[in-house]
Amino acid sequence: MTTPTRRLVVTGATGKQGGALITALLSKPTASFEIYALTRNASSPSAQRLASKPNVHLIEGNFSDPTAIFKQVKEPWGLFSVTNPMDHVKEEKEGKAMTAAAVQAGVRHIVFTGTDRGVNSETDETTVPHFASKFHIEKDIEQKAKQSNGKLTYTFLRPVAFFDNMTNDFMGKAFVSMWKLNGEDHKLQMIATSDIGKVAAEAFLNAESGEYRNQAVALAGDDLSPREAAKVFKEVTGQELPTTFSFVGVLLKWLLHKQLGLMFNWFKSDGFTVDVPELKRKHPFLKDFRAWLETESAWAKKSQ
Ligand SMILES: NC(=O)c1ccc[n+]([C@@H]2O[C@H](COP(=O)([O-])OP(=O)(O)OC[C@H]3O[C@@H](n4cnc5c(N)ncnc54)[C@H](OP(=O)(O)O)[C@@H]3O)[C@@H](O)[C@H]2O)c1
């Protein structure tokens, strides 16, 4: 029996998580999805790279007008929903509007990617504004799913900090500098965005299964301190882990208090609490820092 083709709207398609989902779906020859990849600019190089892939159709649109996005897709079955965290009030408004437009268009399964919120992820919005906005978007999806009497289902992905924040540029160095302010031995859980894409693909492929239907999945691939990361980095690249002066980290946390300052403080006071070994039993492909460095990081790409 052949599975009917399902139309999937992927937001953030030119970004890390949406892009990783598309890569993961296209790597599965049995998956029958038509992918509608959202971008604000279809002529950008990253959008054009997507356009050249099989089963991928570019759609132009903006989170500010989600109804216009769904007008471009006939009978959409699924939505991968990513949000822009820079202004948490706008993020919540846009995330909820995206859900409402998807419901209006008849979408059956939403995969919303937010963030892990520690031990009380189900009930605690946390002190981090852009974690709280994601919490409220989840609650809104839950409510809409309940009201739909089973017509709408969802999967919440709750990733921890991305390894991909460690880029070989100023922002990558600043990330490490802010991380180190919490202490050389204070651990932070991290994940490769490619692995988020793989689990997102599983969630769409198995939307009806108990593992993903109306479930939340916290995602992490490693739990490591700056000292441990520096050791692995040296072993893999022969170099010191790139960082910058600690005052740069202090200044950035102050300048971007709501976006970065409160988040790094929360990493120290509360922190992510994913059971990484248990998760790896379910998803053995999840990369630790060493595997990510060797295969996908800027340093791996340089040595290839
Ligand atoms: N970095 C971390 O450690 C971390 C950890 C957990 C969760 N998160 C969350 O991950 C989310 C970001 O995901 P990401 O890192 O995969 O994204 P990303 O790589 O930063 O890319 C952003 C994507 O969003 C699209 N986009 C941005 N504003 C848009 C708008 N107004 N309308 C339509 N599309 C828009 C961009 O598309 P175009 O430019 O092509 O239009 C692009 O595809 C945030 O909510 C963040 O809080 C991050």
Side-chain angles (χ1 to χ4, degrees):
M1 202 177 76
T2 54
T3 324
T5 299
R6 290 172 158 180
R7 297 191 186 91
L8 206 61
V9 174
V10 178
T11 69
T14 57
K16 293 183 281 297
Q17 299 181 81
L21 163 63
I22 293 174
T23 303
L25 283 174
L26 295 181
S27 74
K28 298 195 182 282
T30 50
S32 45
F33 289 108
E34 286 294 321
I35 297 164
Y36 289 81
L38 177 71
T39 178
R40 285 165 295 180
N41 178 7
S43 53
S44 73
S46 47
Q48 283 302 308
R49 273 194 296 279
L50 284 176
S52 64
K53 295 180 193 261
N55 296 347
V56 177
H57 315 275
L58 286 184
I59 47 173
E60 262 189 4
N62 197 299
F63 294 158
S64 59
D65 187 2
T67 304
I69 295 169
F70 286 97
K71 275 195 183 140
Q72 300 175 60
V73 186
K74 193 179 158 222
E75 293 175 13
W77 172 84
L79 165 68
F80 181 69
S81 182
V82 179
T83 51
N84 184 338
M86 285 315 284
D87 171 344
H88 67 280
V89 175
K90 196 169 165 203
E91 176 181 31
E92 184 174 329
K93 194 172 157 222
E94 289 180 345
K96 287 179 174 175
M98 184 66 73
T99 303
V103 171
Q104 184 70 32
V107 162
R108 303 299 303 266
H109 192 72
I110 297 177
V111 175
F112 172 68
T113 182
T115 181
D116 182 61
R117 290 178 294 272
V119 271
N120 296 318
S121 275
E122 290 306 326
T123 51
D124 184 8
E125 64 178 57
T126 79
T127 49
V128 186
H130 61 90
F131 287 17
S133 41
K134 291 171 173 72
F135 170 84
H136 292 294
I137 294 167
E138 284 187 0
K139 292 294 163 205
D140 180 60
I141 294 174
E142 264 174 23
Q143 198 191 11
K144 289 197 165 54
K146 262 193 204 125
Q147 287 164 351
S148 79
N149 289 325
K151 194 166 170 261
L152 174 71
T153 57
Y154 62 84
T155 308
F156 298 148
L157 301 183
R158 295 182 181 151
V160 298
F162 300 167
F163 292 134
D164 312 61
N165 295 328
M166 283 191 257
T167 46
N168 198 9
D169 57 13
F170 172 75
M171 274 321 289
K173 289 177 190 170
F175 174 84
V176 173
S177 153
M178 288 183 279
W179 182 16
K180 282 159 76 97
L181 289 175
N182 282 348
E184 283 289 348
D185 294 307
H186 194 85
K187 287 183 188 270
L188 175 66
Q189 295 194 332
M190 302 187 87
I191 179 97
T193 50
S194 58
D195 290 341
I196 303 173
K198 285 180 189 169
V199 179
E202 292 295 320
F204 282 117
L205 285 161
N206 304 292
E208 288 86 7
S209 83
E211 199 179 342
Y212 292 105
R213 189 177 191 274
N214 299 342
Q215 297 297 318
V217 187
L219 291 173
D222 209 340
D223 192 5
L224 81 170
S225 67
R227 197 186 304 282
E228 289 163 340
K231 183 169 177 284
V232 173
F233 194 88
K234 183 90 190 223
E235 285 165 8
V236 173
T237 68
Q239 303 166 31
E240 301 302 326
L241 182 64
T243 185
T244 182
F245 305 106
S246 57
F247 76 81
V248 175
V250 173
L251 187 67
L252 264 178
K253 279 182 66 180
W254 180 75
L255 284 173
L256 293 170
H257 182 64
K258 283 188 181 159
Q259 295 85 353
L260 296 175
L262 289 170
M263 182 177 74
F264 276 90
N265 291 349
W266 183 87
F267 289 165
K268 174 98 180 180
S269 61
D270 297 72
F272 301 120
T273 52
V274 181
D275 184 343
V276 180
E278 173 59 22
L279 193 67
K280 284 190 172 180
R281 273 190 281 280
K282 270 193 204 147
H283 305 295
F285 57 78
L286 287 172
K287 285 177 273 302
D288 61 10
F289 182 52
R290 183 182 297 276
W292 174 80
L293 254 185
E294 287 173 345
T295 57
E296 294 174 6
S297 69
W299 298 273
K301 281 170 194 150
K302 223 166 148 186
S303 63
Q304 276 164 13

